[in-house]
C-alpha cells in the first residue's frame, strides 16, 4: 500500500489489567505513525460481553495519557455491531460464510455458529520482522468467525475494522502471527487490501520464558505510574526491548524515539524484561528533569513533617523512582534530620581505638567546627576542617566514623559533611558534645 497515508492501530481488549508488555506494541505503532506523519488509532476490542469491563478500558486510557501516547482516533468495537452484522450477512450471501449446525460436546456450547468457508489454499505474506511466511490454510478448517449474527469474533472484527479504518500497517506481537493467515483469507473474502505486517519479538522474563501476566515480579502497567516511574523512562526501556537503534546512545526521550525508530531494525529474538535496567533508565531520566521538578516531586512524596528542601540532595542520591522517597521515610532513614538519634555508646567506637582517643578526636572536631561561622557552615568548609584532623590520624575512620554515627545514629547514612550542613552548626555541635 505504498501510495496510502500510513495508518497504524493498537487494539487492546478490556478484559483484565493492561500488561506492561503491551506498551511496546502501542509504542511502536505510535512511533511509526508519527515519524511518517500518519494516523495512530486506539481501538478497544470489547466484543467479549462477559469479560469486558469499563474499568479496564479506563485503566489503559489513563495509562496511555500518562505515557504521552496520544491517539488520533478512538473506537470501541461494541459501538460497531451493525457494521459487523452487515459484513456477516454479505459474506453468507456471497458463499464465504455459512451457518453451521454443531453438536455440543460441553455444557453451554452452541448448536449453531457462523463459520468461514475455507478455500483451503496456501497463503504467503511478507513480514517486516520475520520475512516471508507461507502457511497451508487447509489445516485451519472452516473456522468460526461469529457465535451468531450479534456476536462476531476477533478474527472477523479485526479485519473489518482495519479495512474500514484504512489501516496500512499491522504492528503487533509475534503471538499474533498465527492469526494472520485466517485474517488474510477474510480480507480476500470481503475485498480488503492486505496491510503490511510486522510481528514484534516476545518479551521474556529472566528465565527466558514468555513474560506472563501472572508473573508476580511484573505488576499491571498502571502500577508503574503509581510507583513513581517517569513515563519517558518506561517508554525508553520498553523501546529497547527487541529494537536496537545502533550506536552508543541508550537514553532517549519520546521525540528522539520518534526520530530514531526504524521498524526494519526490530529483532526477531525476544528481549529480557530486566527490572534493574528499568531502575537505571529511571534514574537517568530523573537527571534530565529541571531541578524545580525534581524538588517538587521529592517534597510531594515526603511526609508533611519532613518537607525540608535541605534534604533533597541526600534523598535524590538514594532513589531510583519517586516511591523510593516515601519508602525511605517509612523505614526511618531520614528521621535523624528531624530528631536526635538514640543509640548505644559502643557504636561510637572505631575498631581498636580507645574511648579516650575517640573523645579527644571529638573535642578536636568540635573546636574546629566552632571556628566556622553559621553562614560558612557548608559541607565543603566542614569537610576541609574535619579532614585536616583526620589526615593526621592513623586512620581517617577514627574520627569520621564516630562523627557520622553521632549525627545520624545509622550504620549506613550520607557522609557527615552533608549531614552537618543540613543540621546546621548548633545542632551539629550539640550532637557531637552529647557523643563526647
Amino acid at each position: 500500500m505504498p501510495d496510502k497515508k500510513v495508518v497504524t492501530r493498537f487494539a487492546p481488549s478490556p478484559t483484565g489489567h493492561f500488561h506492561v508488555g503491551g506498551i511496546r506494541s502501542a509504542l511502536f505503532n505510535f512511533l511509526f505513525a508519527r515519524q511518517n506523519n500518519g494516523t495512530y488509532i486506539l481501538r478497544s476490542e470489547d466484543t467479549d460481553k462477559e469479560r469486558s469491563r469499563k474499568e479496564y478500558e479506563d485503566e489503559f486510557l489513563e495509562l496511555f495519557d500518562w505515557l504521552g501516547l496520544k491517539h488520533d482516533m478512538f473506537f470501541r468495537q461494541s459501538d460497531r455491531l451493525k457494521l459487523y452484522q452487515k459484513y456477516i450477512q454479505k459474506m453468507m450471501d456471497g458463499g464465504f460464510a455459512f451457518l453451521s449446525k454443531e453438536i455440543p460436546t460441553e455444557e453451554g456450547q452452541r448448536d449453531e455458529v457462523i463459520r468461514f468457508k475455507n478455500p483451503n489454499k496456501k497463503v504467503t505474506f511478507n513480514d517486516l520482522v520475520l520475512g516471508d511466511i507461507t502457511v497451508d490454510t487447509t489445516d485451519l478448517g472452516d473456522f468460526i468467525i461469529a457465535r451468531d449474527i450479534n456476536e462476531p469474533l476477533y478474527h472477523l472484527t479485526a479485519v473489518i475494522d482495519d479495512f474500514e479504518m484504512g489501516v496500512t500497517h499491522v504492528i503487533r506481537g509475534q503471538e499474533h502471527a498465527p492469526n494472520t493467515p485466517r485474517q488474510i483469507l477474510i480480507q480476500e473474502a470481503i475485498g480488503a487490501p492486505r496491510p503490511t505486517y510486522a510481528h514484534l519479538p516476545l518479551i521474556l522474563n529472566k528465565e527466558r520464558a514468555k513474560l506472563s501476566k501472572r508473573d508476580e515480579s511484573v505488576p499491571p502497567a498502571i502500577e508503574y505510574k503509581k510507583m513513581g516511574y517517569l513515563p519517558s523512562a518506561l517508554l525508553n526501556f520498553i523501546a529497547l526491548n527487541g529494537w536496537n537503534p545502533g550506536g552508543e546512545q541508550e537514553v532517549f526521550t519520546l521525540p528522539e524515539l520518534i526520530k530514531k525508530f526504524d521498524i526494519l531494525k526490530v529483532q526477531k529474538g525476544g528481549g529480557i524484561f530486566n527490572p534493574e535496567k528499568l531502575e537505571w533508565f529511571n534514574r537517568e531520566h530523573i537527571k534530565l528533569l529541571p531541578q524545580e521538578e525534581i524538588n517538587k516531586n521529592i517534597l510531594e512524596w515526603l511526609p508533611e513533617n519532613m518537607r525540608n528542601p535541605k534534604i533533597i540532595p541526600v534523598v535524590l542520591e538514594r532513589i531510583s523512582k519517586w516511591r523510593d522517597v516515601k519508602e525511605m521515610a517509612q523505614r526511618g532513614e531520614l528521621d535523624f534530620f528531624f530528631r536526635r538519634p538514640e543509640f548505644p555508646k559502643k557504636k561510637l567506637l572505631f575498631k581498636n581505638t580507645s574511648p579516650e582517643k575517640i573523645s579527644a578526636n571529638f573535642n578536636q572536631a568540635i573546636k574546629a567546627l566552632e571556628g566556622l561561622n553559621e553562614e560558612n557552615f557548608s559541607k565543603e568548609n566542614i569537610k576541609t576542617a574535619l579532614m585536616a584532623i583526620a589526615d593526621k590520624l592513623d586512620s581517617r575512620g577514627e574520627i569520621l566514623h564516630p562523627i557520622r554515627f553521632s549525627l545520624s545514629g545509622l550504620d549506613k547514612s550520607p557522609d557527615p559533611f552533608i549531614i552537618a550542613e543540613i543540621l546546621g552548626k548548633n545542632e551539629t555541635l550539640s550532637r557531637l558534645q552529647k557523643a563526647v
Side-chain angles (χ1 to χ4, degrees), residues 345-356 358 401-402:
K345 58 187 178 182
K346 66 181 180 181
K347 285 285 191 177
L348 296 172
L349 299 178
F350 178 77
K351 296 184 178 178
N352 296 322
T353 309
S354 68
E356 293 77 16
I358 296 288
H401 167 80

Side-chain angles (χ1 to χ4, degrees), residues 241-259:
N241 193 299
W243 168 66
N244 187 340
E248 299 296 319
Q249 183 178 355
E250 282 192 274
V251 178
F252 294 92
T253 62
L254 185 55
E256 288 174 326
L257 287 174
I258 292 172
K259 186 177 179 180

Side-chain angles (χ1 to χ4, degrees), residues 372-398:
L372 296 176
N373 296 327
E374 184 69 54
E375 58 269 22
N376 293 327
F377 206 73
S378 67
K379 62 181 183 234
E380 292 82 11
N381 291 336
I382 295 166
K383 182 175 183 178
T384 298
L386 294 181
M387 291 305 291
I389 302 169
D391 286 340
K392 295 176 183 177
L393 301 173
D394 294 336
S395 167
R396 291 176 174 178
E398 288 181 26

Side-chain angles (χ1 to χ4, degrees), residues 58-122:
D58 291 341
E59 181 181 297
F60 67 65
L61 288 172
E62 177 189 347
L63 174 71
F64 295 138
D65 182 64
W66 172 66
L67 290 171
L69 303 182
K70 310 293 185 186
H71 50 266
D72 301 303
M73 304 171 75
F74 176 71
F75 297 94
R76 287 186 188 91
Q77 287 192 330
S78 57
D79 296 333
R80 300 165 64 78
L81 182 57
K82 288 184 179 179
L83 177 68
Y84 307 140
Q85 290 171 337
K86 183 185 78 172
Y87 273 94
I88 291 172
Q89 192 60 56
K90 185 178 178 182
M91 291 175 69
M92 293 178 73
D93 292 344
F96 295 105
F98 61 95
L99 190 64
S100 173
K101 299 292 183 180
E102 306 287 309
I103 300 175
T105 56
E106 295 178 14
E107 186 178 345
Q109 278 190 336
R110 296 168 183 257
D111 58 6
E112 283 186 345
V113 294
I114 298 173
R115 292 184 177 271
F116 179 80
K117 187 169 178 55
N118 191 339
N120 298 326
K121 65 180 212 174
K122 287 186 178 180

Side-chain angles (χ1 to χ4, degrees), residues 30-40 70-72 258:
F30 174 86
L31 295 177
F32 191 74
R34 289 290 172 265
Q35 68 181 192
N36 287 286
N37 298 313
T39 298
Y40 169 60
K70 310 293 185 186
H71 50 266
D72 301 303
I258 292 172

Side-chain angles (χ1 to χ4, degrees), residues 162-434:
D162 287 348
F163 178 34
E164 290 282 336
M165 296 172 190
V167 171
T168 59
H169 293 75
V170 174
I171 303 170
R172 57 191 182 184
Q174 278 183 17
E175 64 270 23
H176 291 286
N179 298 332
T180 308
R182 289 181 177 86
Q183 293 169 2
I184 288 175
L185 292 179
I186 297 172
Q187 288 161 8
E188 293 174 351
I190 66 172
R194 185 183 300 185
T196 300
Y197 289 98
H199 286 96
L200 310 175
L202 298 176
I203 297 178
L204 309 175
N205 61 23
K206 289 184 177 181
E207 286 70 44
R208 304 195 70 82
K210 183 178 182 292
L211 194 67
S212 167
K213 292 182 180 181
R214 293 177 292 278
D215 190 327
E216 294 181 357
S217 67
V218 183
I222 197 65
E223 292 298 317
Y224 289 87
K225 177 185 178 183
K226 298 175 184 177
M227 287 190 285
Y229 283 93
L230 297 186
S232 58
L234 185 55
L235 291 176
N236 191 165
F237 168 72
I238 289 289
L240 295 180
N241 193 299
W243 168 66
N244 187 340
E248 299 296 319
Q249 183 178 355
E250 282 192 274
V251 178
F252 294 92
T253 62
L254 185 55
E256 288 174 326
L257 287 174
I258 292 172
K259 186 177 179 180
K260 280 271 192 178
F261 180 68
D262 184 349
I263 193 72
L264 298 180
K265 289 187 177 180
V266 172
Q267 301 157 351
K268 292 182 181 180
I272 303 294
F273 189 96
N274 184 338
E276 290 78 22
K277 188 67 174 179
L278 173 57
E279 298 264 312
W280 180 84
F281 274 113
N282 208 64
R283 284 194 296 273
E284 294 302 305
H285 279 263
I286 286 176
K287 293 175 187 177
L288 299 178
L289 295 175
Q291 189 62 46
E292 299 76 25
E293 191 171 343
I294 293 174
N295 297 350
K296 174 176 174 289
N297 276 285
I298 289 178
L299 292 175
E300 283 179 353
W301 281 81
L302 282 169
E304 284 190 33
N305 64 331
M306 289 187 176
R307 290 176 182 171
N308 182 345
K310 287 185 177 181
I311 70 172
I312 288 173
V314 171
V315 174
L316 182 60
E317 281 184 0
R318 286 160 176 76
I319 62 169
S320 298
K321 54 187 178 299
W322 301 132
R323 194 175 74 178
D324 294 347
V325 178
K326 181 179 179 180
E327 292 176 350
M328 282 179 69
Q330 290 173 334
R331 290 193 298 265
E333 293 176 19
L334 303 173
D335 287 356
F336 65 89
F337 285 119
F338 303 95
R339 61 174 181 265
R340 194 167 298 180
E342 297 292 334
F343 50 84
K345 58 187 178 182
K346 66 181 180 181
K347 285 285 191 177
L348 296 172
L349 299 178
F350 178 77
K351 296 184 178 178
N352 296 322
T353 309
S354 68
E356 293 77 16
K357 184 69 166 67
I358 296 288
S359 294
N361 293 341
F362 266 126
N363 285 322
Q364 285 192 71
I366 290 169
K367 185 175 181 181
L369 296 181
E370 283 177 336
L372 296 176
N373 296 327
E374 184 69 54
E375 58 269 22
N376 293 327
F377 206 73
S378 67
K379 62 181 183 234
E380 292 82 11
N381 291 336
I382 295 166
K383 182 175 183 178
T384 298
L386 294 181
M387 291 305 291
I389 302 169
D391 286 340
K392 295 176 183 177
L393 301 173
D394 294 336
S395 167
R396 291 176 174 178
E398 288 181 26
I399 188 169
L400 297 183
H401 167 80
I403 287 177
R404 184 177 61 77
F405 211 97
S406 68
L407 297 180
S408 71
L410 297 175
D411 291 312
K412 293 182 179 180
S413 70
D415 71 53
F417 320 119
I418 183 68
I419 297 176
E421 179 187 67
I422 293 170
L423 293 176
K425 181 178 178 180
N426 289 339
E427 181 62 22
T428 296
L429 292 175
S430 177
R431 293 188 186 189
L432 296 183
Q433 286 160 353
K434 182 185 178 185

